[in-house]
């Protein structure tokens, strides 16, 4: 078994109101030094094997379901087993 991770983030030019809200709340909670916050999504898919065909299929899943490619970018990667 392998774990494939799809990280989805808003494109840099898209405003991120949730990230801005978190960024504004951090100093009020006593945390300093954070200059920006962007919020995203993480999908973990357990697959039988992480070969090229499977990764291509996961890429297609991300394009069609997991990410809204008009406003979001995504990265597909294989995560080491822990």
């Amino acid at each position: 078994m392998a774990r494939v991770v799809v990280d989805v983030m808003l494109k840099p030019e898209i405003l991120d109101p949730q990230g801005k809200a978190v960024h504004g709340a951090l100093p009020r909670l006593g945390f300093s030094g954070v200059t920006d916050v962007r919020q995203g999504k993480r999908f973990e898919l357990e697959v039988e094997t992480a070969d090229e065909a499977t990764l291509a299929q996961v890429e297609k899943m991300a394009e069609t379901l997991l990410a809204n490619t008009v406003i979001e970018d995504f990265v597909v990667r294989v995560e080491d087993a822990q």
Side-chain angles (χ1 to χ4, degrees), residues 7-64:
D7 292 311
V8 180
M9 295 293 295
L10 287 172
K11 291 183 178 184
E13 62 270 18
I14 302 297
L15 295 176
D16 183 359
Q18 290 175 309
K20 291 289 184 203
V22 170
H23 184 252
L26 290 172
R28 290 192 302 272
L29 295 171
F31 299 103
S32 61
V34 177
T35 58
D36 194 25
V37 176
R38 303 281 295 172
Q39 182 171 316
K41 300 179 279 190
R42 173 185 165 112
F43 296 91
E44 296 181 359
L45 293 86
E46 298 293 330
V47 296
E48 291 180 12
T49 180
D51 58 10
E52 285 187 36
T54 301
L55 293 177
Q57 189 174 21
V58 171
E59 186 98 9
K60 189 68 173 169
M61 290 176 200
E63 288 175 359
T64 58

